[in-house]
Amino acid sequence: MWTSGEGMMMRAGGRWLEGKGFGPTPDKAPTIVMLHEGLGSAELWRDFPQKLADATGYGVFAYSRFGYGGSDPAPLPRPIDYMSREATEVLPEVLGAIGFRKGIFVGHSDGASIAAIYAGTVQDHRVRGLVLMAPHFFTEPMGLKSIAAAKLAYENSDLRQRLARYHVHVDNAFYGWNGAWLDPEFEKWNIEEVIAYLRVPVLAIQGVDDQYGTRAQIAALEEQSYNPVDVLMLEECRHSPFIDQPQKTLDAISDFVARLDAIEAAEAEAA
């Protein structure tokens, strides 16, 4: 269990991961598990986890995957299916380590893909809903072009220095992500098959000006899902809705959680 606002270390996938919980622990309230982007970490969610805990009354837990933040480094190069491995091999152990009982996943970018893979692959009735911010279900030329540009920025600007403030193993974090996405074999990466197996409501949030993916990602989710999918497209927003449009993102997630609570209450009353 965690102490709200204090960092912790946990063992999962054979290595140490850093995490931080906010608000009530899983034995006291449902939990929002936050899954960060390809260059994110627990700290790079900034104050959003605390705001989410305050707005919903849920506990919120954010952790840094291998290679990120203060977690142990990841073996490189990362395999093409690294997100699927994270979802099926590591995330279950993270949930066990925090005593997860029920709640939702909030994933961003790579983290959104990992959340979708878990929900579409692992039968876990504790997971009641998904919030997918800027999810990737397949590669797009414009996204790969932006990732190639990020490599140039990392090697020729102050990007490495800025990222090093948040990642102990900064080269491991950057090249683990960037190297996998720029592997020629990664152009064929596609996880659309998991969409049809999602059995919980989904809230998809994407910036209109997202530099890593187009609305085609959201369209695939809408067209292939058998479960309800709510979509929020945000103007004046790039790849990180919780940074570019924090209040609208917070309000949308809070409303989504409230509707899930209402559904659960109605089902319990009917039973």
Side-chain angles (χ1 to χ4, degrees):
M1 295 297 180
W2 65 72
T3 300
S4 185
E6 294 187 8
M8 59 178 282
M9 299 297 291
M10 58 186 169
R11 194 79 173 168
R15 296 178 177 83
W16 289 101
L17 298 175
E18 71 167 2
K20 183 179 286 190
F22 302 85
T25 50
D27 58 325
K28 303 285 198 308
T31 306
I32 297 172
V33 177
M34 308 199 69
L35 302 160
H36 64 74
E37 65 169 317
L39 289 177
S41 68
E43 290 298 325
L44 278 166
W45 285 108
R46 304 182 183 184
D47 62 352
F48 198 72
Q50 183 64 67
K51 288 183 175 179
L52 203 50
D54 293 341
T56 63
Y58 279 33
V60 178
F61 185 78
Y63 74 100
S64 301
R65 298 192 295 276
F66 299 135
Y68 299 102
S71 296
D72 283 349
L76 299 187
R78 286 188 183 272
I80 301 301
D81 64 346
Y82 73 92
M83 284 180 269
S84 294
R85 296 189 188 199
E86 181 74 29
T88 60
E89 297 174 9
V90 182
L91 182 53
E93 293 191 29
V94 171
L95 299 179
I98 65 171
F100 182 76
R101 297 189 180 187
K102 71 175 180 179
I104 70 169
F105 293 161
V106 173
H108 176 218
S109 192
D110 277 19
S113 302
I114 291 167
I117 294 168
Y118 182 94
T121 305
V122 179
Q123 189 176 48
D124 188 344
H125 298 297
R126 299 174 300 174
V127 180
R128 300 165 52 222
L130 301 176
V131 177
L132 306 179
M133 286 190 271
H136 304 294
F137 296 105
F138 48 86
T139 59
E140 296 181 88
M142 57 83 71
L144 295 176
K145 184 178 180 180
S146 294
I147 291 171
K151 183 175 188 289
L152 292 176
Y154 187 78
E155 295 175 346
N156 296 285
S157 73
D158 67 344
L159 178 58
R160 183 183 187 278
Q161 181 181 351
R162 288 187 284 120
L163 287 174
R165 296 200 295 264
Y166 300 99
H167 304 295
V168 173
H169 309 284
V170 65
D171 288 340
N172 188 268
F174 184 84
Y175 288 114
W177 163 75
N178 193 263
W181 276 84
L182 294 184
D183 186 316
E185 288 297 309
F186 202 83
E187 292 183 17
K188 297 180 287 187
W189 177 82
N190 187 305
I191 60 164
E192 287 179 273
E193 63 183 8
V194 305
I195 296 174
Y197 293 95
L198 299 178
R199 294 292 182 265
V200 293
V202 177
L203 169 63
I205 304 174
Q206 186 168 4
V208 170
D209 303 314
D210 192 330
Q211 68 272 35
Y212 290 109
T214 70
R215 202 190 187 287
Q217 305 289 337
I218 306 300
L221 182 61
E222 291 178 294
E223 293 165 5
Q224 298 177 47
S225 177
Y226 293 97
N227 269 33
V229 176
D230 293 337
V231 174
L232 175 63
M233 297 296 299
L234 292 170
E235 300 284 348
E236 298 182 9
C237 180
R238 283 164 59 84
H239 190 56
S240 300
F242 70 96
I243 294 175
D244 291 349
Q245 294 287 356
Q247 191 60 52
K248 289 182 179 178
T249 302
L250 180 65
D251 290 345
I253 298 175
S254 300
D255 178 68
F256 180 70
V257 166
R259 285 185 285 126
L260 290 179
D261 286 343
I263 292 170
E264 185 171 290
E267 289 176 346
E269 184 175 342

